Amino acid sequence: MIIDQIREKAGLYYPEVQAIRHHIHANPELSFQEYNTAEFISGKLTEMGISHTTGVAGTGIVALIEGRNPGKKCVALRADMDALPIQEKNETAYCSKNDGVMHACGHDVHSSCLLGAAHILNDIKDSFEGTVKLIFQPGEEKHPGGASLMIKDGVLENPKPDAIFALHVYPHQVTGTLGFRAGQYMASADEIYITIEGKGGHAALPHQTVDTIAIAAMLITGLQQVVSRKSNPLIPSVLTFGKIAGGFATNVIPDKVEILGTFRTMDETWRYEAHKWIKDFTKNTCEAYGAKVTIEIPPGYPSLFNDPALTAKAEEWGRAYVGTENVHELDLRMAGEDFSFYTHHVPGCFFRIGTSKGGQFTAPVHNPYFDIDEEAMKTGMGMMAWCAVQELNA
């Protein structure tokens, strides 16, 4: 049976995939700077004899594995390649060699699993009809998101995928498990940039100034009402400000204050209504106190929607691959993920693989101590290959 072949090959290629992960993890590169990572992945694809194109959206790679009757159907598998600006604190043989850069979100795992899946699928390509498109994507961690740029470069054309899958590490679940959620799963993610300009002066003479610090405080507090009083309470929304920059002394009111934040929601219509409320409230508040303001909310990642029919099938395939007891339903997440761009063009399924050993949770993603139980990659590469084969043969 194909499922047994895939499981066997996942075990066979595990040492190679582990070595690949060690190399990528030790040599992390920031978003849109994945030049060496892309060259390394391209070299591995070449060794496998898999045709591919480099330089898509800068450092992206697109590869094709053609089975029997390659024009019948196409399924895409996607992995991201970029790392984060975090100083790794793990003491492993494969810890980051690049100061201040770390694979703290598991993208090294994702790329390694996709290379493992590629190896498996290339071996069994006579067992399926259609084409598997492999997408190695840059810049998931940085706006405007590598997915959006790869789509602009035609990654979803020639051939156009009928479905797309991606996995993500999940340290909150044990190795060997899978997580799925049909429908709305993750939030949109937009960045907010506000600059308030007033009239600086002595802190003892506030009446002679336009106090940008005081205005910023009122603005941050008041803007929370956009979520609490303007949104439907049934629509998850989050408005958070993560940076305030202004001033340089205890007794000086500064001329300028900068505020940076993020807005996230699960509803695309409300998303853009909220942008207008945030902009209007910001401008009106600042003008009321005599300050000038500029505000920018460049559209970021849309909300991630897992196609219900495709996800239901993938969940069933997951039960067959790892056992019913090892398949779990995921909770909604207000985090963003640029795989969402694909899901607004093609039916998609974004699932999770458990990565904690023996149920011992160690560190979350985006943490300097994040690492995985590497046995999880057997599940990851195998499940990606299994999904591709099942969807092509459906």
Side-chain angles (χ1 to χ4, degrees), residues 78-133:
R78 171 270 202 176
D80 35 21
M81 303 185 294
D82 55 326
L84 286 160
I86 292 176
Q87 182 67 46
E88 182 161 11
K89 294 184 180 179
N90 290 313
E91 296 181 359
T92 60
Y94 52 85
C95 67
S96 174
K97 298 177 184 177
N98 297 338
D99 192 47
V101 186
M102 176 191 175
H103 272 295
C105 200
H107 297 186
D108 55 329
V109 180
H110 307 164
S111 289
S112 300
C113 284
L114 185 52
L115 281 171
H119 217 324
I120 295 169
L121 290 165
N122 201 43
D123 282 357
I124 63 170
K125 58 188 175 184
D126 291 338
S127 302
F128 60 83
E129 288 191 285
T131 297
V132 180
K133 178 175 281 191

Side-chain angles (χ1 to χ4, degrees), residues 13-294:
Y13 292 131
Y14 169 67
E16 178 185 349
V17 171
Q18 186 181 35
I20 288 171
R21 189 252 168 167
H22 288 179
H23 175 88
I24 296 175
H25 188 92
N27 298 277
E29 295 174 295
L30 294 173
S31 302
F32 303 112
Q33 300 175 32
E34 311 93 336
Y35 301 105
N36 293 326
T37 305
E39 184 178 358
F40 176 78
I41 290 171
S42 174
K44 291 298 178 183
L45 291 169
T46 298
E47 288 175 11
M48 297 179 205
I50 297 174
S51 173
H52 61 282
T53 301
T54 60
V56 183
T59 54
I61 298 171
V62 179
L64 297 176
I65 299 175
E66 296 183 339
R68 294 177 287 107
N69 191 13
K72 180 181 178 182
K73 194 174 184 180
C74 177
V75 170
L77 304 175
R78 171 270 202 176
D80 35 21
M81 303 185 294
D82 55 326
L84 286 160
I86 292 176
Q87 182 67 46
E88 182 161 11
K89 294 184 180 179
N90 290 313
E91 296 181 359
T92 60
Y94 52 85
C95 67
S96 174
K97 298 177 184 177
N98 297 338
D99 192 47
V101 186
M102 176 191 175
H103 272 295
C105 200
H107 297 186
D108 55 329
V109 180
H110 307 164
S111 289
S112 300
C113 284
L114 185 52
L115 281 171
H119 217 324
I120 295 169
L121 290 165
N122 201 43
D123 282 357
I124 63 170
K125 58 188 175 184
D126 291 338
S127 302
F128 60 83
E129 288 191 285
T131 297
V132 180
K133 178 175 281 191
L134 312 175
I135 301 172
F136 294 89
Q137 180 207 298
E140 191 280 326
E141 297 286 355
K142 186 175 182 179
H143 286 215
S148 69
L149 300 181
M150 291 197 82
I151 291 169
K152 287 180 181 177
D153 266 10
V155 73
L156 296 181
E157 305 298 333
N158 302 317
K160 180 177 180 178
D162 297 281
I164 186 168
F165 296 88
L167 59 74
H168 200 290
V169 295
Y170 197 43
H172 300 277
Q173 284 185 192
V174 68
T175 295
T177 61
L178 299 168
F180 297 89
R181 187 179 185 90
Q184 206 69 55
Y185 174 43
M186 297 177 74
S188 58
D190 299 312
E191 296 177 347
I192 302 170
Y193 300 90
I194 300 171
T195 302
I196 305 168
E197 295 183 86
K199 181 182 179 183
H202 199 291
L205 304 169
H207 60 292
Q208 295 178 1
T209 73
V210 175
D211 191 339
T212 53
I213 295 285
I215 295 169
M218 287 184 284
L219 190 61
I220 290 171
T221 302
L223 277 171
Q224 296 305 319
Q225 292 191 33
V226 171
V227 171
S228 69
R229 289 296 175 265
K230 296 300 181 184
S231 70
N232 183 333
L234 300 179
I235 299 174
S237 299
V238 171
L239 176 61
T240 297
F241 294 99
K243 181 179 179 181
I244 305 174
F248 46 86
T250 61
N251 62 345
V252 178
I253 294 172
D255 290 325
K256 183 169 72 172
V257 171
E258 295 178 324
I259 306 171
L260 280 66
T262 181
F263 177 73
R264 295 156 187 260
T265 185
M266 295 284 184
D267 185 277
E268 290 296 307
T269 300
W270 160 240
R271 176 189 179 194
Y272 289 102
E273 290 176 0
H275 288 191
K276 185 177 185 303
W277 280 111
I278 293 168
K279 289 177 180 178
D280 288 348
F281 185 91
T282 298
K283 291 175 181 177
N284 292 338
T285 300
C286 291
E287 288 175 4
Y289 288 96
K292 296 179 181 179
V293 67
T294 58

